[in-house]
Amino acid sequence: MTTNSQWNGQFSCFDLVAKTDECSRTIVHVGEVAIGGGRFVVMAGPCAVESERQILDTAEAVAAAGAHVLRGGAYKPRSSPYSFQGLGLEGLKLLAKAREQTGLAIVTEVMSEEDVALIAEYADIMQVGTRSMENYSLLEALGQCGRPVLLKRGMTARLDELLRSAQIIAAAGNPEIILCERGIRTFETATRNTLDIAAVPVLKTVSRLPVIVDPSHAAGVRALVPVLARAAAVVGADGLLVEVHPTPEKALSDGVQSLDFDEFEEMMRDLQRYIAIGPFLEDVYPELFVAGGDD
Ligand code: PEP
Ligand code: MN
């Protein structure tokens, strides 16, 4: 069996999220949805909640196309302080209404520890954005929030740093964590970020946590989203986080990388045959890493 002694040393201290012979994989249950349980889970919706019509129409469309979870930011971390910052509490209420109407679970971002309790009242999954991955007081507060956490990789974070953040949430009392690869910052400018596709098999080998991929923030352009989604499915990701908007050209944020309803529906249809490949790769993962090696 092939061992990777570098990984043995690099990831050995994150025991609460590590994959070991004793610990089975974490399955995060959100209502009827099980993330990491073998079924490919798609979370889809707009970058930001903009209006009642926008979020309700999107919820209906993504549910009809086979998504399991509705995404939508109410509190938005923007690169510019002059960009749309989100609807805040009103956005949370609209998400709750969309859940009522469609039965979809809700994932939405929490940026500050002060907002944790309020957002936990509305959200089914608490999203930590790339800019917050190392906000340790936020991570600690999420340890006590009573909701699963979707932890996005920092745009300049290594995988051991991502797992360190996961360990902080777990150590604070919350083992229900989903990891998300969303592209990292490299010298390449043709895409918004560089999708680190190897992150999926590495994380699934060293960690017991489910791993999903966000092709939208990785690509930065909608034309690349379906093909990156295929790649995610084929390397064995547990699901996707995808931006979808009724009229991407009018979106208040991230319209360029958002799919419209037809494009999303087509992506979901195309994806099925690639999803069928992913689970076979599970057999390969144990070959990559043996816990408790000689490092
Ligand atoms: C988002 O999901 O809309 C978002 C802001 O993502 P990230 O934190 O990965 O940039
Ligand atoms: Mn976005």
Side-chain angles (χ1 to χ4, degrees), residues 47 71 76 217 243 254 257:
C47 180
R71 65 149 290 148
K76 293 303 300 173
H217 290 85
E243 287 185 336
D254 287 350
Q257 68 197 31

Side-chain angles (χ1 to χ4, degrees), residues 40-107:
F40 196 78
V41 172
V42 177
M43 310 183 186
C47 180
V49 181
E50 298 170 2
S51 71
E52 177 162 340
R53 203 53 292 134
Q54 176 242 20
I55 195 67
L56 295 183
D57 286 354
T58 308
E60 295 283 358
V62 300
H68 310 90
V69 178
L70 177 67
R71 65 149 290 148
Y75 296 81
K76 293 303 300 173
R78 300 307 305 283
S79 301
S80 162
Y82 306 109
S83 300
F84 177 58
Q85 305 291 315
L87 295 180
L89 177 57
E90 192 195 334
L92 296 178
K93 291 183 173 162
L94 293 175
L95 286 167
K97 194 163 179 181
R99 171 175 48 208
E100 240 168 69
Q101 200 160 303
T102 59
L104 291 174
I106 300 297
V107 57

